[in-house]
Amino acid sequence: MQCSWKSVVLLALASIAIQYTAIRTFSPKPVSLRCSVGPAPPGHAVNCTQLTASEQGCDESLTNAPSFSSAPVPSYDANKRTHIIILATTRSGSSFVGQLFNQHPEVFYLFEPLYHVQLALLPRLAQSRNLAERRAMLGAARDLLRSLCHCQLNSLESYIRPRPANHSTDKLFRRGASRSLCSPPVCEASLGPEAQSLALADEGECARRCGPLNVSLAADACRAKRHTAIKTVRIPQVSDLRALIEDPKLNLKVVQLVRDPRGILASRIETFRDTYRLWRLWRATGRRPHNLDLGQINTVCEDFLRSVSTGLAKPAWLRGRYLLLRYEDLARFPLQKTRELYRFLGLALDQSVEDWILNNTRGSSDLSSRQKFTTVRDSAANAENWRVKLSFDMVVYTQTACQQILDLLGYKTVYHARELRNLSRSLVEDRTFLPFF
């Protein structure tokens, strides 16, 4: 008996739904914790215009930095727990943005917890761009994010493979990227400041010193913090988070990080050499392979366009909950943009965060090229180094496929190879994207 491909897809999706239902059925029921939600500040419209005034960044030499300093400033309430989701795509600078919260002593930070949902439900579809397949895990992802915001980390155990025994696991994805999971009381080892810095620079050192992660202790550490921050590249668009943003039990704010798609492509080619092998072949030979997967960059631009368009349309459900952040602005003016980011969130910026920025944005460009997941780099030089890594015809194709989002975000089009290589002329327009309250 023969089955059509549509039948096979339907059977696969049905199987995924059954797996998710089974996980939900047999998972321990979490105890609900209420988060206080304060009133929104007075309204203010989103502004997306070119700047005319010069503003300083983290030192006297930084001028003309985009800023939303004219926006109303939310008052800081130490008793109000804020949940932060960093919404991004792979190789857009999200690890760097995550560290801006990871370094804060009152923030419990989780790095890509949805990796486990994807691995459990869609193990063979990790690279898929089929819409039905990509949406299949969103229900599970939203439920898990809600639980994690409430510090119910036991919900994560349902997706970790093999499943933790006695709430203990050594399989949590990139545990070492979270300071909270490498520090007492979660980590029983005595890690002084120097050793703790080493653990975060070399994620494997955290696991070696601390041993298996006790999920219950991690949940206690989460509840002891004032705020929660979660980074994910596995939610395509901000509209996918609407149910959480409108949840009255959450004080959830979304930071959507975007980057020039041409920069994303160049970074992925360097980082994921096997997956992007044909792109590397195109760059080396000057001839585009006939079987090149163009969807690898098309999907990025489509998701950006839908999500950013939603945010800039200022729907009522995003009022005071959404901030659009360009990676290039953060890379050029890291301290200023971090201050503005914290101001939007209504959080007090700790000195430890500022110190980390100053120590991690003056690194060698050579270091960042050799260590693909490092956050220590010359951030300003890194922002547009894709211009010497892509061939002109690859840039032309990407511009054609992504023209709408390039225009919307203020990334300039290049029309000649000489223009592409002229690094004295930035391809990033001075724009400001104001949050609306």
Side-chain angles (χ1 to χ4, degrees):
M1 178 178 179
Q2 295 184 341
C3 296
S4 68
W5 66 270
K6 293 182 179 180
S7 299
V8 173
V9 171
L10 289 174
L11 286 173
L13 294 178
S15 174
I16 291 170
I18 292 171
Q19 291 180 55
Y20 173 51
T21 302
I23 288 174
R24 293 284 293 167
T25 301
F26 293 105
S27 297
K29 300 299 181 182
V31 179
S32 178
L33 299 175
R34 181 175 296 273
C35 299
S36 61
V37 179
H44 188 83
V46 170
N47 183 18
C48 179
T49 58
Q50 292 189 353
L51 293 179
T52 57
S54 298
E55 299 187 49
Q56 290 186 348
C58 60
D59 58 51
E60 294 297 326
S61 65
L62 299 181
T63 57
N64 296 319
S67 171
F68 53 74
S69 57
S70 61
V73 180
S75 60
Y76 173 64
D77 183 354
N79 296 317
K80 183 167 71 172
R81 188 178 185 93
T82 300
H83 305 293
I84 305 152
I85 291 182
I86 304 164
L87 186 65
T89 190
T90 308
R91 307 309 297 172
S92 62
S94 58
S95 294
F96 181 85
V97 175
Q99 288 300 318
L100 300 180
F101 300 105
N102 188 37
Q103 301 303 317
H104 197 292
E106 291 300 330
V107 174
F108 183 84
Y109 174 66
L110 287 174
F111 181 99
E112 295 294 344
L114 298 186
Y115 165 85
H116 294 286
V117 177
Q118 178 176 289
L119 198 63
L121 299 184
L122 304 172
R124 292 177 298 278
L125 303 178
Q127 301 300 322
S128 174
R129 283 166 301 280
N130 178 278
L131 184 59
E133 293 168 349
R134 296 176 75 208
R135 301 290 173 174
M137 63 169 268
L138 282 176
R142 280 190 293 263
D143 284 350
L144 180 59
L145 288 174
R146 180 182 283 109
S147 296
L148 295 178
C149 286
H150 288 306
C151 295
Q152 298 159 358
L153 271 66
N154 60 309
S155 297
L156 185 58
E157 295 184 44
S158 302
Y159 300 101
I160 297 176
R161 300 291 184 268
R163 182 156 181 162
N166 298 320
H167 306 293
S168 180
T169 180
D170 60 358
K171 299 299 183 182
L172 185 69
F173 181 59
R174 292 189 65 178
R175 169 194 179 180
S178 171
R179 180 177 292 273
S180 297
L181 299 181
C182 299
S183 309
V186 180
C187 177
E188 296 179 0
S190 177
L191 296 179
E194 293 182 2
Q196 198 169 109
S197 297
L198 175 63
L200 293 173
D202 177 6
E203 295 180 12
E205 186 70 13
C206 171
R208 289 190 291 272
R209 290 177 178 267
C210 299
L213 174 70
N214 186 303
V215 179
S216 297
L217 288 178
D220 292 340
C222 177
R223 285 188 283 269
K225 302 286 187 179
R226 289 179 177 174
H227 313 289
T228 304
I230 299 172
K231 179 188 89 79
T232 181
V233 296
R234 290 169 170 82
I235 299 291
Q237 300 162 32
V238 68
S239 57
D240 298 321
L241 296 172
R242 180 171 179 173
L244 300 183
I245 294 170
E246 293 185 318
D247 187 339
K249 296 180 181 180
L250 294 178
N251 178 34
L252 180 65
K253 297 190 177 184
V254 176
V255 177
Q256 173 153 24
L257 178 67
V258 295
R259 183 183 183 182
D260 190 322
R262 297 166 294 188
I264 291 174
L265 176 61
S267 183
R268 289 184 178 184
I269 290 173
E270 296 297 324
T271 306
F272 308 120
R273 300 174 74 90
D274 290 338
T275 305
Y276 284 77
R277 180 180 58 84
L278 294 179
W279 288 90
R280 294 172 61 82
L281 182 63
W282 182 5
R283 184 176 62 184
T285 64
R287 296 188 298 273
R288 189 173 81 185
H290 71 279
N291 56 339
L292 180 71
D293 185 359
L294 298 174
Q296 289 172 316
I297 191 62
N298 291 356
T299 301
V300 170
C301 295
E302 291 167 3
D303 285 342
F304 271 179
L305 183 60
R306 293 190 181 99
S307 192
V308 171
S309 296
T310 298
L312 297 184
K314 301 181 292 186
W317 57 275
L318 277 182
R319 182 176 299 277
R321 304 290 177 184
Y322 176 83
L323 173 67
L324 179 64
L325 177 64
R326 292 190 306 187
Y327 166 73
E328 292 80 7
D329 294 332
L330 183 63
R332 291 183 297 171
F333 314 106
L335 191 53
Q336 176 181 334
K337 300 309 293 185
T338 300
R339 288 169 177 162
E340 295 173 352
L341 174 60
Y342 268 76
R343 186 183 309 144
F344 159 73
L345 296 169
L347 272 60
L349 180 60
D350 191 83
Q351 184 62 45
S352 62
V353 179
E354 296 195 13
D355 291 343
W356 184 90
I357 291 171
L358 295 176
N359 291 331
N360 288 269
T361 57
R362 298 293 184 267
S364 166
S365 296
D366 179 63
L367 173 66
S368 64
S369 66
R370 287 185 283 109
Q371 299 181 17
K372 56 189 177 184
F373 293 114
T374 184
T375 55
V376 180
R377 65 191 67 201
D378 182 342
S379 59
N382 189 63
E384 293 191 65
N385 67 359
W386 60 266
R387 297 170 64 176
V388 298
K389 294 182 177 180
L390 295 180
S391 63
F392 180 66
D393 53 345
M394 295 169 73
V395 170
V396 169
Y397 171 78
T398 306
Q399 291 176 163
T400 302
C402 303
Q403 193 63 59
Q404 285 183 278
I405 192 62
L406 290 173
D407 293 342
L408 187 61
L409 294 175
Y411 297 125
K412 300 176 183 178
T413 301
V414 293
Y415 299 97
H416 195 279
R418 288 196 300 271
E419 186 181 12
L420 175 65
R421 306 298 187 213
N422 181 12
L423 300 184
S424 65
R425 175 181 177 269
S426 175
L427 297 181
V428 182
E429 295 179 5
D430 285 341
R431 295 276 187 95
T432 183
F433 297 91
L434 299 183
F436 66 105
F437 294 95

